[in-house]
Amino acid sequence: PRYRIGPKETETEKISPEREKTAGQVWVADCEGDILGCIFRESETRQGITRICRLVTGSWYRREGLGRLLVQSLEQRERETGALRVYAHVPYPSKVGEVFFRKLGYQQLGEGADDEDVEEGKLETPERGFLGHSLTKVFYKDL
């Protein structure tokens, strides 16, 4: 099937730039009106940094390249707007998510031994749950 990927716009509601900046954005892949998958970009908190907070594909469309297309379209748009790095918080433990982002060229934060990685680790930390256990692993890619 042919996919159309782009920001989903509603005709009934106009979204103000202030609201979009606060809420972030969602890109939807649809085919003849059926939603096949979507990717959520968190609102910008640091200049030049983009954060993917959710990537979802329908079960019938997994392993078909749809997730890759969604991530690559987001990366391309962010690169055009001047973003330097993209972060993805992958639920822990999600081996499928880890392998997926590694195949797209992402690295896990903290695997490198350089000083820049240590400093970024202070700014971009995994989400923590009750009793301080990690809920996500942080992956990044330089654009």
Side-chain angles (χ1 to χ4, degrees):
R2 296 189 64 181
Y3 303 122
R4 182 176 62 92
I5 299 174
K8 187 72 172 178
E9 301 210 15
T10 60
E11 294 180 27
T12 59
E13 181 181 5
K14 296 295 181 192
I15 300 172
S16 68
E18 295 82 25
R19 181 173 176 199
E20 183 178 309
K21 187 171 184 170
T22 303
Q25 294 180 340
V26 177
W27 280 268
V28 175
D30 73 339
C31 180
E32 299 177 5
D34 292 332
I35 296 176
L36 309 179
C38 55
I39 188 167
F40 299 80
R41 180 183 70 76
E42 195 170 82
S43 63
E44 188 174 307
T45 55
R46 291 185 286 157
Q47 187 67 28
I49 302 295
T50 298
R51 186 174 182 213
I52 298 170
C53 54
R54 181 89 51 196
L55 172 65
V56 180
T57 59
S59 59
W60 291 98
Y61 301 100
R62 293 192 181 135
R63 303 194 55 83
E64 298 290 327
L66 180 60
R68 178 181 46 80
L69 285 172
L70 285 164
V71 171
Q72 288 174 339
S73 65
L74 177 112
E75 289 172 354
Q76 179 181 350
R77 183 181 182 283
E78 295 303 313
R79 190 178 298 116
E80 290 169 358
T81 61
L84 304 173
R85 182 173 275 188
V86 175
Y87 286 100
H89 286 245
V90 177
Y92 178 80
S94 174
K95 296 295 182 190
V96 172
E98 289 182 36
V99 169
F100 173 79
F101 279 101
R102 287 186 193 277
K103 281 184 177 180
L104 292 176
Y106 285 73
Q107 298 176 320
Q108 185 174 349
L109 194 63
E111 284 183 338
D114 60 354
D115 292 334
E116 181 183 334
D117 206 22
V118 172
E119 288 301 314
E120 278 297 312
K122 294 176 185 174
L123 296 173
E124 192 70 33
T125 59
E127 294 175 21
R128 303 245 178 230
F130 185 66
L131 299 176
H133 297 286
S134 293
L135 298 176
T136 62
K137 289 184 177 181
V138 180
F139 288 81
Y140 71 94
K141 181 177 183 179
D142 291 323
L143 301 177

